[in-house]
Amino acid sequence: MANDLSVRELVRTFGDFTAVDDVTFDVPQGSFFSILGPSGCGKTTLLRMVAGFDEPTSGTIAIRGTDMCGVPPNKRPVNLVFQHLALFPMMNVAENIAFGLKRRGMQSAEISRKTQAILERVDLPGYGDKRINQLSGGQKQRVAIARCLVMEPSVLLLDEPLGALDLKLREQMKVELKKLQAKVGTTFIYITHDQSEALVMSDRIAVMNNGRFEQVGPPRELYSDPHTPFVARFVGENNAWSGTVEEVDTHVRIRTEEGLLFRARSHDAYPAGTRVDLFLRPEALRIEPEGKSLNTFKVTVKTILFDGANSRLLTVTPKNHELLVSLPQNRQFDYIQPGDIITLDWHPDSGLCFEA
Amino acid sequence: MKSGYRLTLWLFLAPVLLWLFLLIVIPHLDLLLMSFRGESGVGNPVWTLQNYKNFFTEPIYWRTFVRTALYAVITTLCTFVLALPVSFYIAKLARPRTRGFLTVLLLLPFWVSELVRVYGWMILLRESGVFNYVLLKMGIIHQPVEMLYNDVTMIMGLVYTSMLFMVVPLISVMESLDDSLIEAAYDLEASKFAILRTIIIPHCKPGITSGAIVVFMLALGNYLTPNLMGGKNSLWFTEQIYNQFIASFNWNQGAAFGFLLLVLSSLIIWTGLKVTRQRLGEVAS
Ligand SMILES: Nc1ncnc2c1ncn2[C@@H]1O[C@H](COP(=O)(O)OP(=O)(O)OP(=O)(O)O)[C@@H](O)[C@H]1O
Ligand SMILES: [Mg+2]
């Protein structure tokens, strides 16, 4: 499949600070690509270079195979949905959407037809005459996206467009955005610092940290097989535990600081004596397993963090190391009370360790 | 409690009301009365509309007014065209420290009186002035050129005097313009001119209007600059008023002209607001 966007060895420095550091990636046509990273890691800087508002210090950006070096934003086949939407308050909804088409010099009958069509696409039929300040947050959101989609860009860039919405609406818009993308088939490049947004919507995610891409892959892969400790910490929830490698066979044997011995997985073969960090997902920990294995140990329940399907136990080991454990809401463990001592166990493949 | 509050309110308002009354209402009432007075054939004071009639029957008067109004409009337009890029640069492009410096630079000419400013221009532009000297020395011209006493120079002088009153309101509205709106328009394939026309000017409308009103009124009511830089045959309406008061001692006629200036200029501004579909209340807020 053809790539809509190819970025090669992209660097952007501000003085002696490197905001985007040697980033290379491809986005195939029609896919939903997310860039996930903490605040200040260089996401907006990267996107602004793709949109043409900023020039790279070095490296190349190609859209549909055409090099974009020196091409101004109004000549690039990409459109950007701004972090704060940037709808034009002096125009109504229809005028906002028609803005780009008018600049192209399109016939006004054609413009109004396209405007109607796109408003229906984003489920806002008949909203053309409303003023921007009469819209709700979610509606503004969709107008901003419609205003870009009507231009039929090769690539649609979205800079944390859900950031300003409240939680409930954000959950709803996540699903709607994904559906919309599937419907229109435009390539989306979506920036966010919210890992759940990225995981739900994307075909592929790039995890960014300090200007670099740490790992690029499908959501499931990032979650189940993080390549760096940063990804392990940032994508999904993880318990971290430090220890020392004792022995390596098919798995690594790790002795934690408080003397527990575990078997876990690692990407590299670490020699005995290496200090490592062990990462364990809350849902990898099984409560009161049948049988016994090397990875079985006992903890004390400190509190129950009830959150519906996402409920967890906050537990501590005898040496006061805190661990989060998923608590399935199938009534099996309703008897557990704070202060109880429970047995936990996990499969050696679900614990991953990295050199500390 | 309530009456105490009332009393304080009146106490604070009193100086303002007094000032308004003494300096604006009373003199204007007096002028208004004066403008309707005249002398009968035998020299007795009578009520008459003659002073107003004169304005419309004597072509020199209303032509001067039309000329003055037209030039004031031209001055306003020129000031706007010059002030727009200047204020855009100060509000959007300059770094914060440069911004303060540039604003002070704009204020600086207003430290000296208008008279001194106009004489400054005259020193530069007159036949034996600095410009002529330099141009002669450089061999660009071979004979000194008279650059003063024409309409172009006069308008330039008026624009120079009015600049600040356009730039300040424009800077303040431009500062409230979100940069991302400009970028969004640029991203949606707008050219620089289209951005100016569809985003920047509509956003700045209140500032443009208030700046334009001030500049127009200042130019219309200016006396020094047109008089000194405009030369003998370029009459400004304020000169007519001055002449009536001082030269012909016809205070009644002068008062009538003064009122006509007030009414006609208000009419022009009202038309301007109607044409651009604005209201004075919106502009002031
Ligand atoms: N014009 C600039 N001059 C200097 N430094 C800049 C400039 N723009 C961005 N930076 C720096 O580059 C880094 C990355 O900024 P960027 O806006 O790309 O972050 P981000 O990942 O989008 O963060 P957020 O999630 O908060 O929006 C920041 O540390 C910022 O201070
Ligand atoms: Mg950002």
Side-chain angles (χ1 to χ4, degrees):
Chain A
M1 209 194 292
N3 287 324
D4 261 343
L5 177 69
S6 302
V7 171
R8 292 283 168 274
E9 287 148 19
L10 198 67
V11 177
R12 178 67 169 105
T13 54
F14 296 110
D16 50 8
F17 174 77
T18 310
V20 173
D21 190 1
D22 193 18
V23 165
T24 295
F25 65 100
D26 287 307
V27 181
Q29 205 162 1
S31 62
F32 198 122
F33 186 87
S34 291
I35 298 170
L36 171 66
S39 188
C41 72
K43 305 182 295 288
T44 301
T45 310
L46 174 58
L47 209 64
R48 288 175 61 83
M49 285 191 282
V50 176
F53 292 117
D54 202 358
E55 283 294 318
T57 309
S58 68
T60 60
I61 297 167
I63 297 167
R64 295 235 164 120
T66 315
D67 185 30
M68 284 293 131
C69 180
V71 180
N74 54 354
K75 300 279 190 303
R76 293 192 186 202
V78 298
N79 287 109
L80 175 59
V81 178
F82 285 76
Q83 198 158 358
H84 300 288
L85 305 182
L87 293 171
F88 306 131
M90 59 291 258
M91 304 177 197
N92 66 20
V93 170
E95 286 166 338
N96 261 280
I97 293 174
F99 184 87
L101 299 177
K102 263 193 204 146
R103 303 285 87 75
R104 276 190 188 161
M106 196 177 271
Q107 299 275 306
S108 64
E110 178 80 355
I111 291 180
S112 72
R113 196 183 58 73
K114 285 201 175 215
T115 307
Q116 296 305 327
I118 203 80
L119 276 174
E120 262 161 48
R121 267 269 154 88
V122 297
D123 287 323
L124 292 171
Y127 275 70
D129 293 330
K130 292 228 177 188
R131 305 225 51 98
I132 296 305
N133 54 18
Q134 292 173 323
L135 301 179
S136 74
Q139 290 168 339
K140 279 185 192 154
Q141 194 64 60
R142 281 179 278 168
V143 172
I145 293 169
R147 186 175 74 174
C148 290
L149 280 181
V150 80
M151 304 295 285
E152 289 162 8
S154 302
V155 179
L156 182 66
L157 309 170
L158 301 104
D159 189 356
E160 300 194 32
L162 306 187
L165 304 183
D166 60 57
L167 188 68
K168 188 90 189 158
L169 195 55
R170 215 153 61 204
E171 293 296 318
Q172 194 184 330
M173 285 301 294
K174 255 192 250 180
V175 183
E176 281 193 29
L177 261 182
K178 174 75 187 163
K179 281 201 287 198
L180 186 69
Q181 193 267 339
K183 198 156 70 170
V184 296
T186 307
T187 307
F188 276 39
I189 296 182
Y190 186 93
I191 283 193
T192 178
H193 60 252
D194 181 313
Q195 44 103 7
S196 119
E197 277 175 25
L199 292 175
V200 169
M201 294 192 276
S202 322
D203 296 319
R204 283 165 75 77
I205 302 174
V207 180
M208 195 171 182
N209 185 29
N210 288 331
R212 292 179 156 275
F213 275 8
E214 296 248 341
Q215 187 175 354
V216 184
R220 183 184 296 276
E221 185 184 304
L222 291 183
Y223 190 80
S224 60
D225 189 22
H227 286 179
T228 65
F230 177 80
V231 178
R233 278 204 178 87
F234 198 70
V235 180
E237 229 169 338
N238 242 326
N239 293 303
W241 220 339
S242 33
T244 324
V245 176
E246 289 232 314
E247 192 185 330
V248 183
D249 45 53
T250 52
H251 287 94
V252 222
R253 270 166 197 266
I254 299 163
R255 190 168 293 280
T256 66
E257 276 163 353
E258 53 197 287
L260 293 165
L261 190 66
F262 292 125
R263 266 153 48 98
R265 188 163 68 91
S266 75
H267 287 291
D268 304 315
Y270 300 121
T274 315
R275 308 234 350 114
V276 290
D277 281 328
L278 170 64
F279 291 97
L280 265 177
R281 299 246 179 239
E283 70 272 17
L285 293 161
R286 292 186 301 247
I287 303 168
E288 302 296 346
E290 294 176 359
K292 195 169 155 48
S293 73
L294 187 63
N295 288 348
T296 310
F297 61 109
K298 284 195 185 304
V299 289
T300 312
V301 176
K302 225 169 136 186
T303 40
I304 299 170
L305 309 168
F306 183 80
D307 182 15
N310 192 26
S311 300
R312 285 151 310 163
L313 294 174
L314 181 63
T315 64
V316 287
T317 60
K319 287 274 170 64
N320 243 343
H321 183 82
E322 289 189 346
L323 286 177
L324 282 172
V325 181
S326 286
L327 184 63
Q329 288 301 304
N330 50 12
R331 320 226 59 168
Q332 191 188 346
F333 301 112
D334 284 3
Y335 63 88
I336 295 178
Q337 296 297 327
D340 288 358
I341 293 179
I342 56 171
T343 310
L344 296 177
D345 177 53
W346 50 279
H347 191 275
D349 281 342
S350 52
L352 189 59
C353 56
F354 294 98
E355 189 167 358
Chain B
M1 193 62 219
K2 192 135 188 234
S3 68
Y5 171 77
R6 277 267 177 83
L7 192 71
T8 350
L9 187 71
W10 280 112
L11 223 63
F12 275 109
L13 275 179
V16 181
L17 291 177
L18 207 68
W19 172 75
L20 273 176
F21 193 70
L22 284 180
L23 278 143
I24 298 185
V25 179
I26 291 190
H28 275 83
L29 274 179
D30 194 36
L31 277 176
L32 188 64
L33 290 179
M34 212 185 275
S35 73
F36 287 109
R37 302 290 282 183
E39 283 179 3
S40 66
V42 288
N44 292 328
V46 286
W47 294 103
T48 168
L49 282 173
Q50 190 55 42
N51 298 323
Y52 289 92
K53 242 184 235 159
N54 284 343
F55 175 81
F56 294 100
T57 47
E58 279 291 339
I60 177 81
Y61 294 144
W62 63 260
R63 282 207 187 131
T64 307
F65 181 81
V66 169
R67 205 184 101 90
T68 307
L70 208 67
Y71 276 18
V73 169
I74 293 174
T75 303
T76 312
L77 286 178
C78 291
T79 314
F80 169 65
V81 169
L82 277 176
L84 196 67
V86 171
S87 41
F88 186 78
Y89 181 81
I90 294 178
K92 288 293 173 200
L93 304 177
R95 274 173 293 152
R97 277 180 59 193
T98 337
R99 190 178 304 174
F101 174 71
L102 288 174
T103 320
V104 170
L105 221 58
L106 270 172
L107 276 167
L108 220 54
F110 290 80
W111 248 250
V112 297
S113 86
E114 192 182 357
L115 194 63
V116 177
R117 252 178 292 150
V118 172
Y119 274 115
W121 276 114
M122 293 176 83
I123 289 170
L124 288 178
L125 294 175
R126 66 183 172 186
E127 241 174 316
S128 55
V130 177
F131 281 4
N132 269 313
Y133 180 78
V134 171
L135 289 175
L136 275 174
K137 277 282 159 197
M138 283 165 62
I140 295 172
I141 52 172
H142 301 290
Q143 252 183 349
V145 181
E146 181 57 271
M147 301 184 205
L148 276 175
Y149 314 127
N150 62 55
D151 292 351
V152 176
T153 312
M154 183 186 72
I155 287 188
M156 186 211 65
L158 285 171
V159 168
Y160 175 75
T161 311
S162 331
M163 238 351 224
L164 186 76
F165 301 98
M166 187 65 96
V167 169
V168 168
L170 280 186
I171 288 179
S172 78
V173 280
M174 273 190 198
E175 271 172 351
S176 70
L177 175 62
D178 186 357
D179 290 354
S180 65
L181 290 186
I182 298 177
E183 288 187 341
Y186 199 21
D187 186 58
L188 292 165
E189 305 191 6
S191 62
K192 297 220 164 71
F193 178 71
I195 294 173
L196 182 71
R197 192 171 56 80
T198 55
I199 308 294
I200 298 176
I201 290 184
H203 176 89
C204 295
K205 221 162 151 188
I208 296 171
T209 314
S210 62
I213 290 176
V214 172
V215 170
F216 176 75
M217 287 307 236
L218 279 178
L220 205 64
N222 199 320
Y223 179 76
L224 267 176
T225 308
N227 214 9
L228 291 178
M229 293 176 86
K232 274 286 151 280
N233 50 4
S234 63
L235 274 175
W236 205 251
F237 197 65
T238 45
E239 288 176 60
Q240 299 279 17
I241 300 177
Y242 176 86
N243 286 343
Q244 293 302 334
F245 275 110
I246 305 299
S248 3
F249 276 112
N250 191 347
W251 279 50
N252 300 338
Q253 187 63 61
F257 282 179
F259 263 90
L260 280 165
L261 183 66
L262 183 70
V263 171
L264 291 175
S265 56
S266 306
L267 211 66
I268 292 172
I269 286 172
W270 181 81
T271 321
L273 286 173
K274 270 280 167 290
V275 167
T276 55
R277 291 201 214 95
Q278 294 183 82
R279 273 194 314 221
L280 205 57
E282 289 168 11
V283 173
S285 63

